[in-house]
């Protein structure tokens, strides 16, 4: 968001310069861990990122997951969480 043109103006003269900021990639600081649970339990997956509030997608295989009664998705600072409620064998 700091990318753009900047200027300094004295009233009689003006100097301009452009700033281009290359965004660093979002990396995983802490990876997801394998979980095991009994049917009916709740399971939480959690990972830590290198940037605050980075855009993340949660997936099971190729299917993107969205917040609903089954899936609770949170992003707080650098921590991304997926809570799966009432797990069933097909959630494995």
């Amino acid at each position: 968001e700091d990318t753009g043109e900047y200027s300094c103006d004295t009233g009689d003269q003006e100097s301009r310069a452009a700033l281009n900021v290359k965004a660093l990639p979002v990396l995983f600081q802490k990876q997801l861990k394998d979980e095991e649970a009994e049917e009916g339990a709740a399971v939480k997956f959690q990972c830590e990122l290198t940037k605050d509030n980075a855009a993340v997608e949660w997936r099971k295989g190729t299917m993107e997951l969205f917040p609903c009664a089954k899936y609770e998705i949170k992003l707080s600072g650098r921590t991304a969480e997926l809570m799966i409620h009432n797990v069933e064998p097909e959630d494995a």
Side-chain angles (χ1 to χ4, degrees), residues 47-91:
C47 59
E48 191 174 321
L49 310 165
T50 56
K51 283 188 175 183
D52 288 342
N53 300 313
V56 299
E57 289 181 357
W58 286 96
R59 296 181 179 274
K60 179 184 183 255
T62 58
M63 183 179 73
E64 186 173 356
L65 304 177
F66 296 96
C68 62
K70 178 93 173 162
Y71 303 115
E72 186 178 340
I73 295 173
K74 292 183 184 177
L75 182 61
S76 177
R78 295 181 179 204
T79 303
E81 292 181 356
L82 169 67
M83 177 76 77
I84 305 172
H85 298 282
N86 193 28
V87 295
E88 302 169 274
E90 46 280 3
D91 292 321

Side-chain angles (χ1 to χ4, degrees), residues 10-69:
T10 66
D12 294 326
Q13 294 184 337
E14 183 178 60
S15 180
R16 293 177 178 263
L19 172 64
N20 291 312
V21 179
K22 294 180 183 177
L24 295 173
V26 177
L27 304 172
F28 290 102
Q29 205 151 337
K30 287 186 183 173
Q31 301 278 337
L32 293 175
K33 295 180 191 173
D34 292 342
E35 297 289 342
E36 191 171 304
E38 291 188 14
E39 190 171 358
V43 173
K44 179 167 57 173
F45 287 104
Q46 186 177 59
C47 59
E48 191 174 321
L49 310 165
T50 56
K51 283 188 175 183
D52 288 342
N53 300 313
V56 299
E57 289 181 357
W58 286 96
R59 296 181 179 274
K60 179 184 183 255
T62 58
M63 183 179 73
E64 186 173 356
L65 304 177
F66 296 96
C68 62

